[in-house]
Amino acid sequence: MPKAVANLPGQVREELTHRLRRNKRAFREEDVQVVERPLLKRAVGASALGNCMEWFDFGVYSYLAATVGRVFFPGASPGVQLISSFATFAAAFVVRPLGGLVFGPLGDRIGRQKVLATTMIMMAAGTFSIGLIPSYATIGIAAPILLLLARMVQGFSTGGEYGGATTFVAEYSPDRRRGFLSSWLDFGTFVGYALGSALVTVLNLALSDDQMLSWGWRLPFLIAGPLGVIGLYMRLKLEESPAFQQQLDEHEKSMAQESAGSEFRTIVKDHWKPLLICMGIVLLYNVTNYMVTGYLPTYQTETLGRSSGFADVLVLIGMVWIVLLITFLGRLSDHVGRRPLYAVGAVAMIVLAVPGFWLLRSDGTVAPVLGVLLLSTLLACFAAPSAATLPALFPTAVRYAAMGIGFNFAVAAFGGTTPLFTEALVNATGNDLVPAYYLMVAGVIGLVTVRFLPESAQVPLHGSQPMVGSRAEQRELISTSEELYDFAKERSATR
């Protein structure tokens, strides 16, 4: 076996061999897409920054859940206030699949960039409007109804956001670096979460309880307006992804004219297996995500009786730790593969979830910080490879829509409901280790899913040309394809 061929990862060698046999020749220049570095930097940077702003908007509600419960559900007991607030939080996830069903097929027909600009506008508008809603004391039952409607606008827009952003970045990224470059998208997500957490922490420390209830809670939501304008500007400056342009130019115009309902049926019928794998990975990632980002602040204040300032700082430490880890783990997934990273993380969660919550419950500062760092490390293991792994499950023609369906249905059913179900179970059982057991179940489901997950590290996306980052890489891949094609012919001749 030629050295260049032997150095290829097994999954890459298998995919390239399949393509060469189908083409009946080695690659030529027109068969390998070169992504120019300035375009790549702008696409990844603008997507990550836009995602940061989007998830700052969405995450702020998590950190203000207890305060929002007191403002909009004042007549209820503290426990019911919290559950009502989390129920409103979960309502945004109920409409996420609808957003995915609308925006996904639209993104496959008119383009990723246009839809991502639209979701940015809707998210900013929904978040900004929450900051303007009068309290229950002012307009009565209309207040929680308006809050619910604003959350549903947020959820609808988010239904088209993550699937579109991951698809966009994955389609721009060279095959060898897709894990690293795509991890910047979730880097933006957790920076947005961290900024939201930091702002709420500062407000809780700077303002009295009465000031927070009166007007302080509104400030993070009102910031969404100017952030949305900035994010919209950045997304309008982006060019459409090479893979999408290629599919329209060459062979997928019929798909561009297909109705949303027809595309949905095609995805469910022809891509049901990757759809289930997508949902399993999303469950693993997002149960952990919303446990750490959405539930831990409340768990510490309401269940463990700690101050909101201590709880917010603790979660902020976890968010910063994820931000530091995530691109390193994304790069690691390009070298060792996506499957090993998910598998190690899932096993670690099954084994370490209960010890992590033991540390969280401990007195003092050091043990709770270690507990948060442990849970945050597990979350980083799932977040880092996801933006590269999930789009690789589907071909270009249906990628946005399939991501919208698989991601949003799983998040709606399991991710966004995590704070609500966990808080309800803790109240019902009186057992404050229920969150750990919940994570263990997610770890088991994730481990089973990884068993069926195809390895996609360094592999070209389905329906797209091989992607490289320079002309030198293009020449190298063409040369390797010539050796691989000759080697494959020789093996076939000797059989």
Side-chain angles (χ1 to χ4, degrees), residues 259-274:
S259 69
S262 177
E263 186 174 2
F264 176 78
R265 288 191 295 273
T266 298
I267 291 168
V268 173
K269 178 184 176 183
D270 298 340
H271 305 283
W272 61 270
K273 184 176 179 181

Side-chain angles (χ1 to χ4, degrees), residues 155-222:
F156 188 79
S157 70
T158 308
E161 169 62 26
Y162 190 81
T166 55
T167 294
F168 189 81
V169 173
E171 290 179 347
Y172 250 109
S173 300
D175 300 331
R176 292 180 181 178
R177 303 175 65 213
R178 185 167 291 117
F180 170 67
L181 293 170
S182 295
S183 69
W184 284 96
L185 191 66
D186 283 283
F187 175 91
T189 296
F190 287 101
V191 168
Y193 275 136
L195 291 175
S197 176
L199 179 56
V200 173
T201 300
V202 169
L203 289 174
N204 279 327
L205 294 174
L207 301 178
S208 67
D209 190 50
D210 289 340
Q211 288 173 321
M212 279 296 292
L213 284 173
S214 176
W215 54 269
W217 67 272
R218 298 182 184 276
L219 295 179
F221 295 106
L222 295 177

Side-chain angles (χ1 to χ4, degrees), residues 387-421:
T389 303
L390 300 178
L393 292 169
F394 307 102
T396 302
V398 298
R399 184 170 293 127
Y400 199 148
M403 280 286 295
I405 294 166
F407 188 88
N408 289 302
F409 273 90
V411 171
F414 307 107
T417 56
T418 293
L420 173 64
F421 286 163

Side-chain angles (χ1 to χ4, degrees), residues 55-66:
W55 290 97
F56 169 87
D57 292 355
F58 201 78
V60 158
Y61 190 96
S62 302
Y63 306 116
L64 289 169

Side-chain angles (χ1 to χ4, degrees), residues 242-311:
F244 181 78
Q245 292 179 21
Q246 176 193 336
Q247 74 149 20
L248 288 183
D249 292 343
E250 294 183 4
H251 60 84
E252 296 292 352
K253 290 186 179 180
S254 61
M255 179 61 72
Q257 302 301 320
E258 190 174 6
S259 69
S262 177
E263 186 174 2
F264 176 78
R265 288 191 295 273
T266 298
I267 291 168
V268 173
K269 178 184 176 183
D270 298 340
H271 305 283
W272 61 270
K273 184 176 179 181
L275 204 59
L276 290 177
I277 293 172
C278 174
M279 294 177 73
I281 293 296
V282 171
L283 183 153
L284 175 67
Y285 171 19
N286 278 276
V287 166
T288 315
N289 183 15
Y290 289 105
M291 186 70 75
V292 174
T293 63
Y295 182 65
L296 276 193
T298 302
Y299 175 77
Q300 295 195 65
T301 56
E302 304 302 316
T303 303
L304 302 182
R306 289 175 175 151
S307 69
S308 59
F310 182 84

Side-chain angles (χ1 to χ4, degrees), residues 295 299 303-304 357-358 361 422 425-426 429-437:
Y295 182 65
Y299 175 77
T303 303
L304 302 182
F357 273 84
W358 281 341
R361 295 189 312 172
T422 307
L425 287 171
V426 169
T429 64
N431 186 344
D432 56 13
L433 282 178
V434 164
Y437 305 144

